[in-house]
Amino acid sequence: MSEKELGKKWDRCLADCAVKVGAGLGLGVVFSVVFFKRHTWPISFGLGTGLGMAYSNCQNDLRSHYLLHRSMKVGWTKQQ
Amino acid sequence: YSLSPCYVSLALYKCLYGRAHPTNLQHHRHYTSGESSGAAKVVAVGLVTLGSSIGGTVLYAKWDPKFRTAVEKNIPYSDWLLGMALGPNPYSPVTAHKKQVSKFITPKYPTTPPDHLNGSLLCSLNSVLCFCVSEECKECHHHGDTPVPAMVEAVDSMTEGPLKERPAEEVTARLAQQEQEDQDILASVSASLEESLASSAKTTLQAIGAQEAALQAIGSHTHKLKEAMEAEVPPDQKSAQWRDLETALAERRSTVNDAGAALLKARDALDSLRSVIDKAKESKVAAVQPLVLAAEENLHSMVVDLDQAVTKVQSAESEAKIVSQYTELVNEAKRQFQKELSSLTPEIQANWKGLTGKLSADDLNALIAHAHRRIDQLNRELAEQRVREQVHIEAALEQQKLEDQKALDKAVHTATQHSKEEARLEQERKLSELREVMEAEMRTQLRRQAAAHTDHLRDILKVQEQELRSEAEQMLEQETHYRQLTQEQLDNFTLDMNAAYARLKGMEEAIDSHVIAEEEARKAHQLWLSVEALSYTLKTAGSDLPTKPLESAVQAIQDSCCNNEFALALASALPEESLRRGVYSEASLRSRFNSLRSMVRRVALIDESHNSLYQYFLSYLQAALLFEEKQAMPPTQLTNEDLDPFKLLSYASYCLEHEDLELAAKFVNQLRGEARRVVQDWLTEARLTLETRQVVTLLSAYANAVGLGTTQAP
């Protein structure tokens, strides 16, 4: 079902976001704890990195259909 | 015999009215006094009448034998009575029959054996027996009526069975058989006759030859004897002569014996020939007669010749006897003389003729004296003889006469025999000639009879022909009439039959065509049913579940319309997915669309160029903030503005609500970008459903059309 694809994408996106954010947070925490003397900026950095990554992934995933891969061609449909 | 009842009645009448007249009066007289004496009188009169009639019948039967036979035939036990009274009937039918038969058998030729004549006549006249019988009956008619049936009976009995005309083939067969038998008999008889004739002729000739030889021998012997007696030859030739004589005598004896034996043999042969001839005469075949006649003539001539030869021999023998007697006498005289001479001159022996030189004078004198004495004696004897000459001559004549008489008798006897024989042969010859003539005459009569018969038959046949012809014409008319009627009936029947047949044919054709039409209808019905099944399967879609796979239904359709190209094409035009998986119903699609709609609204702004997350966010915001009509009626023509996704969605929703999936699909098809991606599957499904539905509709329309079309005969 094509209509379920978006939902799946969103699910993936969210899952990925959660993972990335969590990972970033974790890393940030870790970094902050480990490397940066409990500053919060690695946590937020990690969080931000995580979010950003997730956002980018999500966007890529959502766009993936419209991107021309080298091995395939996408048929353009002209409007009007 | 027809007189007897009349006689009886007459007698009765006389008795009654002649004699009984006074008794009647008496009776009347006595009637007044008493009835019993009258009854006794009647009884007495009756008895007297009966006795007198019987006596009269017996007397008349004694006088007239015909009447007697008639009475015996008609009245039972009368033959016993008449036999007792008169003795057996001399003219009873059996004896009359025999007499007639014998009379018939002995015709006008009493001397000839008539059996064969009779037999030949009867045998050759089998087919016209009635005629023969009538002729013979005419001859014998003077014997009266009663022998005629007896005669017929006799003839019948002779011809082996009842008198009826035999069929021509049988007659000719019998005649042919008879002829064959006659031929055989003739052949055998002629063979036997010839054989015996030949043998007897041979023996007769032999006998005649022997007789002639005997004659010759006797003649020569006699001549020699005469010579020996009379001739004066020298003594040495005398002895030779005497020897010749002896040989001649011996020869004569032998030839005579031979002749006698040959004569006996010839006589035997002739007797056998005679017996054969007699046996041949007994046979009834007519053609044997001339042979027999000829044989008899031959026999007769042979007998005559033989007798002649025998008489010649006998005459020669008698002459020889005379000569021998003469020689004996001479010898006797010589012996006497010799004895006297020897008594006179005992020393002189042998022939005195040869002793001329040896006798002395005394002897000669004595001899001469003796001779003189002898001469005297002989002269005396001669004188005595002359005296007794007449007497001796008379005695001799008497003897001669007797002997002549005997010879004459014998000759006469043989001559009469011969002439009798000749006469008989002549008679037989004449008889055979007459027989031939009679047979020829008989044949001409028969031919005349046959000709008359054929004429008569011809006339009768002509008359019958006329009658039959008229009958036949009548029958023919009737026949033609009947035939016409039957023909008419037949024609009517044929017409009816033809009409019925035509109708039947029409009916058959109609039925056939109906069968065909029904077949078509059945097929169409089947097609329709299968199409209906297909359309039913379309309805089996549950909510959100596709229908059953249409494969089986389509298979059914394909089976049911195997010879219909259109249907087959249509059936094969169904999309694969529908066959394999089935299609979604419109309701499910509608519900799905309703769920799709919100998604589409949310991604309305996303397309190839606008597909970041921010756009997503914006599109989501738009969807949250923009409100469109749930269902908007679509215009007939789309403008650019109408291509807005929200408008399109509402149009599509409206169409879906109004069950126009096609238009809805068309509207949905106008979506672009991500929205289109989202509804892609739905669109595909909608397309499938639409295709299937279209095909099914076509098929059902077609089935309906075909079904409608089958109600009319092709």
Side-chain angles (χ1 to χ4, degrees):
Chain A
M1 301 282 198
S2 57
E3 64 263 23
K4 295 208 173 107
E5 219 177 287
L6 193 65
K8 283 179 200 161
K9 274 182 188 172
W10 280 123
D11 289 341
R12 271 203 302 269
C13 213
L14 276 174
D16 187 46
C17 178
V19 163
K20 291 233 166 11
V21 166
L25 185 68
L27 270 177
V29 165
V30 162
F31 268 92
S32 110
V33 164
V34 169
F35 296 116
F36 298 105
K37 294 173 218 171
R38 302 243 180 122
H39 288 274
T40 52
W41 65 265
I43 300 168
S44 51
F45 184 70
L47 217 79
T49 313
L51 263 173
M53 277 200 290
Y55 183 87
S56 175
N57 275 348
C58 197
Q59 199 173 271
N60 263 347
D61 194 12
L62 285 170
R63 254 187 208 178
S64 66
H65 180 69
Y66 295 103
L67 292 173
L68 273 173
H69 297 277
R70 275 198 200 145
S71 61
M72 1 184 199
K73 283 184 183 167
V74 177
W76 280 80
T77 57
K78 274 208 171 160
Q79 286 184 327
Q80 298 162 1
Chain B
Y1 69 96
S2 57
L3 298 171
S4 122
C6 306
Y7 175 76
V8 166
S9 62
L10 192 66
L12 202 63
Y13 180 83
K14 255 203 272 184
C15 284
L16 275 175
Y17 291 100
R19 240 187 286 167
H21 197 67
T23 54
N24 255 345
L25 290 172
Q26 273 182 340
H27 186 238
H28 277 300
R29 246 185 270 139
H30 278 258
Y31 180 70
T32 52
S33 53
E35 290 179 15
S36 56
S37 53
K41 275 274 169 25
V42 165
V43 164
V45 160
L47 279 173
V48 160
T49 313
L50 190 68
S52 61
S53 65
I54 287 172
T57 313
V58 166
L59 280 172
Y60 190 64
K62 191 169 175 186
W63 185 65
D64 185 10
K66 259 179 52 178
F67 170 69
R68 181 180 172 164
T69 46
V71 164
E72 280 176 2
K73 212 162 60 163
N74 289 325
I75 301 170
Y77 299 114
S78 58
D79 56 349
W80 168 77
L81 182 72
L82 287 170
M84 269 216 325
L86 302 173
N89 192 349
Y91 288 96
S92 67
V94 177
T95 53
H97 156 88
K98 278 200 200 124
K99 239 195 188 171
Q100 274 320 107
V101 163
S102 62
K103 269 241 174 329
F104 183 57
I105 281 177
T106 59
K108 302 143 195 162
Y109 312 101
T111 55
T112 58
D115 288 342
H116 59 275
L117 162 70
N118 182 37
S120 72
L121 266 179
L122 276 182
C123 289
S124 57
L125 298 176
N126 265 341
S127 61
V128 277
L129 203 55
C130 311
F131 172 64
C132 182
V133 166
S134 67
E135 241 193 16
E136 264 80 37
C137 276
K138 262 190 265 168
E139 284 176 5
C140 321
H141 189 69
H142 61 277
H143 282 281
D145 297 336
T146 44
V148 168
M151 171 62 160
V152 171
E153 282 170 345
V155 172
D156 286 348
S157 67
M158 273 157 51
T159 56
E160 312 147 11
L163 196 68
K164 71 170 186 275
E165 190 147 342
R166 300 202 193 123
E169 305 89 20
E170 205 187 317
V171 163
T172 48
R174 270 181 89 97
L175 280 174
Q177 201 190 14
Q178 208 95 49
E179 272 176 34
Q180 191 62 31
E181 283 174 7
D182 292 350
Q183 290 283 352
D184 295 338
I185 290 173
L186 182 72
S188 67
V189 158
S190 62
S192 65
L193 275 176
E194 272 176 26
E195 205 185 293
S196 45
L197 257 176
S199 67
S200 54
K202 206 164 63 176
T203 46
T204 315
L205 280 172
Q206 269 178 0
I208 289 173
Q211 299 284 352
E212 289 199 353
L215 188 74
Q216 199 107 45
I218 293 171
S220 72
H221 174 73
T222 317
H223 181 72
K224 280 211 177 93
L225 204 59
K226 268 198 214 150
E227 263 186 22
M229 286 302 105
E230 290 162 8
E232 294 290 332
V233 291
D236 48 351
Q237 282 188 5
K238 199 82 177 173
S239 59
Q241 221 176 27
W242 282 119
R243 268 203 294 282
D244 281 343
L245 201 61
E246 275 170 25
T247 53
L249 178 65
E251 199 185 303
R252 175 196 152 174
R253 273 212 199 91
S254 70
T255 49
V256 163
N257 287 340
D258 289 340
L263 181 69
L264 281 172
K265 257 202 299 199
R267 284 257 152 79
D268 287 337
L270 287 172
D271 284 336
S272 72
L273 176 64
R274 195 170 286 124
S275 70
V276 166
I277 288 173
D278 287 338
K279 215 167 53 178
K281 273 195 220 157
E282 284 168 19
S283 80
K284 295 185 183 166
V285 178
V288 168
Q289 298 314 312
L291 283 175
V292 164
L293 263 171
E296 277 185 345
E297 280 180 8
N298 279 340
L299 174 72
H300 174 65
S301 62
M302 279 194 282
V303 162
V304 161
D305 289 339
L306 203 61
D307 287 343
Q308 278 177 358
V310 165
T311 47
K312 265 193 250 169
V313 164
Q314 277 177 354
S315 63
E317 272 196 350
S318 62
E319 219 183 278
K321 214 192 298 181
I322 291 171
V323 170
S324 69
Q325 276 180 357
Y326 167 66
T327 52
E328 269 183 34
L329 279 172
V330 165
N331 280 342
E332 185 66 41
K334 272 198 198 145
R335 229 180 293 128
Q336 196 82 354
F337 187 64
Q338 193 75 3
K339 227 194 307 188
E340 286 176 9
L341 202 60
S342 65
S343 70
L344 276 177
T345 57
E347 55 270 10
I348 296 175
Q349 312 266 336
N351 244 343
W352 54 276
K353 274 202 176 160
L355 293 173
T356 45
K358 293 183 190 168
L359 293 168
S360 60
D362 286 337
D363 290 331
L364 279 167
N365 288 338
L367 206 62
I368 289 167
H370 175 73
H372 277 296
R373 251 183 282 138
R374 189 84 177 132
I375 287 165
D376 287 337
Q377 190 198 1
L378 284 170
N379 280 336
R380 252 182 281 138
E381 268 189 29
L382 189 63
E384 210 177 299
Q385 276 296 87
R386 272 206 193 112
V387 165
R388 290 199 189 133
E389 192 183 320
Q390 196 68 27
V391 176
H392 281 292
I393 282 172
E394 277 178 18
L397 274 173
E398 279 295 325
Q399 207 183 7
Q400 191 63 28
K401 242 192 246 174
L402 280 169
E403 283 192 358
D404 279 348
Q405 191 68 32
K406 256 194 275 178
L408 184 70
D409 284 339
K410 211 159 115 192
V412 160
H413 178 70
T414 49
T416 47
Q417 290 271 43
H418 292 160
S419 63
K420 252 196 233 171
E421 197 67 26
E422 276 177 17
R424 191 180 65 86
L425 289 171
E426 188 68 32
Q427 194 177 52
E428 285 207 349
R429 223 177 292 132
K430 284 226 176 76
L431 185 67
S432 67
E433 279 172 25
L434 194 67
R435 209 181 297 141
E436 280 174 24
V437 163
M438 270 183 66
E439 285 217 13
E441 199 180 310
M442 185 73 69
R443 269 200 203 95
T444 49
Q445 292 280 359
L446 283 172
R447 244 178 265 133
R448 229 179 278 160
Q449 187 83 356
H453 185 63
T454 47
D455 284 340
H456 176 63
L457 277 177
R458 208 176 290 142
D459 292 337
I460 286 182
L461 279 172
K462 255 190 217 137
V463 166
Q464 259 190 347
E465 192 189 328
Q466 292 295 332
E467 280 176 23
L468 285 171
R469 214 178 275 266
S470 65
E471 256 187 55
E473 273 173 21
Q474 204 183 1
M475 271 177 66
L476 196 69
E477 264 182 45
Q478 253 186 347
E479 270 290 318
T480 47
H481 180 62
Y482 285 144
R483 213 164 276 187
Q484 263 182 338
L485 283 174
T486 48
Q487 197 64 36
E488 271 179 37
Q489 265 188 340
L490 208 68
D491 288 340
N492 287 341
F493 185 64
T494 314
L495 279 170
D496 289 340
M497 278 287 289
N498 283 343
Y501 187 67
R503 277 171 60 198
L504 183 72
K505 266 274 175 273
M507 269 162 57
E508 269 183 8
E509 275 186 30
I511 286 169
D512 283 341
S513 65
H514 269 276
V515 159
I516 294 168
E518 270 181 32
E519 185 70 29
E520 293 291 312
R522 195 181 61 80
K523 274 197 213 153
H525 194 66
Q526 218 169 358
L527 181 66
W528 185 83
L529 275 175
S530 48
V531 163
E532 277 296 301
L534 185 61
S535 58
Y536 185 73
T537 48
L538 280 181
K539 292 197 194 117
T540 57
S543 51
D544 300 333
L545 288 170
T547 60
K548 293 205 186 77
L550 302 181
E551 197 170 4
S552 57
V554 169
Q555 191 63 41
I557 287 176
Q558 277 177 340
D559 291 337
S560 70
C561 63
C562 44
N563 55 354
N564 202 334
E565 290 162 2
F566 186 62
L568 276 171
L570 279 178
S572 54
L574 278 168
E576 273 294 315
E577 276 295 318
S578 71
L579 291 177
R580 256 186 305 109
R581 197 207 55 189
V583 293
Y584 286 94
S585 68
E586 198 174 317
S588 67
L589 281 172
R590 205 180 318 133
S591 63
R592 197 168 153 188
F593 180 77
N594 287 335
S595 60
L596 267 178
R597 191 174 179 179
S598 56
M599 184 72 69
V600 169
R601 283 177 80 243
R602 272 183 234 143
V603 296
L605 283 175
I606 310 296
D607 59 13
E608 299 94 32
S609 53
H610 310 100
N611 52 14
S612 65
L613 264 176
Y614 181 59
Q615 297 290 339
Y616 272 94
F617 171 68
L618 284 177
S619 137
Y620 269 83
L621 193 63
Q622 182 186 26
L625 291 176
L626 210 140
F627 294 98
E628 76 284 3
E629 287 169 4
K630 280 264 167 142
Q631 289 155 18
M633 186 157 154
T636 48
Q637 274 192 328
L638 277 176
T639 58
N640 259 354
E641 291 166 352
D642 292 323
L643 295 175
D644 176 39
F646 295 96
K647 274 224 179 92
L648 283 172
L649 281 173
S650 52
Y651 290 155
S653 179
Y654 178 84
C655 294
L656 276 177
E657 284 303 311
H658 288 87
E659 306 202 1
D660 194 351
L661 185 59
E662 189 182 341
L663 200 53
K666 281 185 196 164
F667 282 128
V668 165
N669 198 27
Q670 298 303 317
L671 286 169
R672 295 279 170 262
E674 189 63 32
R676 191 190 178 80
R677 274 191 62 214
V678 164
V679 298
Q680 192 68 40
D681 273 352
W682 187 93
L683 203 56
T684 318
E685 289 297 325
R687 229 187 251 131
L688 266 178
T689 305
L690 279 168
E691 265 185 51
T692 311
R693 256 215 306 202
Q694 188 184 46
V695 167
V696 166
T697 315
L698 274 174
L699 272 174
S700 72
Y702 177 68
N704 282 335
V706 165
L708 273 176
T710 56
T711 53
Q712 295 175 2

